[in-house]
Amino acid sequence: MKGKARPPESLTGAERELISACAGMAVGIEEQLRSGRAVSRDELALVLSDVLRPLAQRLSRYRVDEELGALRFRNRIALRAHARRLDQQIAIADGWCDA
C-alpha cells in the first residue's frame, strides 16, 4: 500500500459501507475455503444475486457520486480497474451458473 492510511473517522459513509461489504465477503470466502466443500451452482447464483451484483452497483454509484472530489487521480484509476475486474468476474460466474 502506498501513502498513509486515513483515520477511520475521516472515511465517508459510502467508503465505510464498501469496506464493510468487502470485509464481510472476505470472511465468507475464507470460511468457505476452510470448509473444503465445493460451491454449487445454486450457491454461486445466490452469492451473485445477493452479494456481488449489489457490491458492483454500489461501487459504480460511489464512483459516480464521490470519486471526482474524494480520490486522487491514481486512486481513481485503480478504482476503475478494480470495478472492471469485478464486472469481468461476475460475467464469468454468470456463464458458469448458466452452463
Side-chain angles (χ1 to χ4, degrees), residues 15-88:
E15 289 169 327
R16 282 192 289 274
E17 287 174 11
L18 287 170
I19 290 168
S20 176
C22 292
M25 208 166 62
V27 167
I29 290 169
E30 186 176 311
E31 288 174 0
Q32 174 63 35
L33 289 172
R34 263 194 253 135
S35 77
R37 192 176 61 78
V39 176
S40 72
R41 282 189 166 90
D42 290 340
E43 290 168 325
L44 179 57
L46 183 65
V47 169
L48 279 169
S49 67
D50 291 358
V51 179
L52 291 178
R53 282 194 191 103
L55 178 59
Q57 290 169 350
R58 184 64 191 103
L59 186 57
S60 291
R61 280 196 310 274
Y62 175 78
R63 285 176 43 213
V64 169
D65 294 346
E66 300 187 26
E67 81 166 341
L68 294 177
L71 299 175
R72 293 181 181 172
F73 179 74
R74 186 179 305 161
N75 293 340
R76 287 194 304 260
I77 299 299
L79 179 61
R80 285 185 193 125
H82 291 306
R84 275 194 304 272
R85 179 110 196 270
L86 179 59
D87 290 339
Q88 290 168 347

